[in-house]
Amino acid sequence: MTRPSDSPVDEESCHRILRALDILGVRWTGPILLAGARGARRFKEYRALVPGISDPQLTLRLKQLQSRGLMERTVVPSTPVQITYALTPDAEELISALQPLSHWSERNLPTRSEA
Amino acid sequence: MTRPSDSPVDEESCHRILRALDILGVRWTGPILLAGARGARRFKEYRALVPGISDPQLTLRLKQLQSRGLMERTVVPSTPVQITYALTPDAEELISALQPLSHWSERNLPTRSEA
DNA sequence: CTGGTCACTTCTCCAAAGTAAGTAACTTCG
DNA sequence: CGAAGTTACTTACTTTGGAGAAGTGACCAG
């Protein structure tokens, strides 16, 4: 079966990866987190950076991310009240952990506009 | 906005991560790939290692993974014909790229049975 | 020849998601 | 002052996707 001990195949690693995928595997959550990483803060900015998402879904996913501790909602009491959604440090770590996916993607999904 | 240049926040990285999440974000694909990494080969083995999945969904997702070049279907002409699904090298690299998620999960999702 | 396994397929039904529209609070414009 | 616009949502309706159960054909054991 060839299972080298450095691969992420052991039970514990698998379960932990699965737990992370429980978050990232939910529709829109990945793109929303990436939008946050790219500087989105306000509702309409997320909507602009996550093409195709609908208002109800954005509302719902932002709430879920808050309850998972990955997004922080802040009400700024400016002249018209502003509401900002910022990634928590946890979420930023999560996005850092996605870095290898970028390299994998570069090697394995060069379909168009690449090399 | 504080965007250090080593973070995965630049456009290209983001798009590549999004491309990878297009695969992993599809329901069941993560767990199925992990099942393959843990040694599943036959249909019923995947079904056993991916709790909750239904037969039609397993059929569908295995087909999609084949068409994306992440699964290889082989028909073994043994006495009763055996059909095996094995991860391609691409898929194994993808799973290696998920390793950091395990560490993130360990730090951030210690909810139960941990520590 | 009845019963069982494997790898599916087909069916029905319910929940999730898309679309469109509405709303409250606040703004600027005339 | 009043009409119109923006923001961050919510609500209602319709469409789609996935779960669950059962069926199928190929093969084999008793």
Side-chain angles (χ1 to χ4, degrees), chain A residues 23 29 33 59-73 85-86 88 90, chain B residues 108-109 111:
Chain A
I23 296 174
T29 39
L33 290 173
T59 302
L60 177 63
R61 299 309 174 194
L62 285 173
K63 271 185 198 158
Q64 291 178 344
L65 288 170
Q66 287 167 59
S67 67
R68 285 184 186 274
L70 297 175
M71 274 283 179
E72 197 179 2
R73 186 187 131 116
Y85 298 89
T88 64
D90 278 9
Chain B
N108 294 280
L109 305 170
T111 350

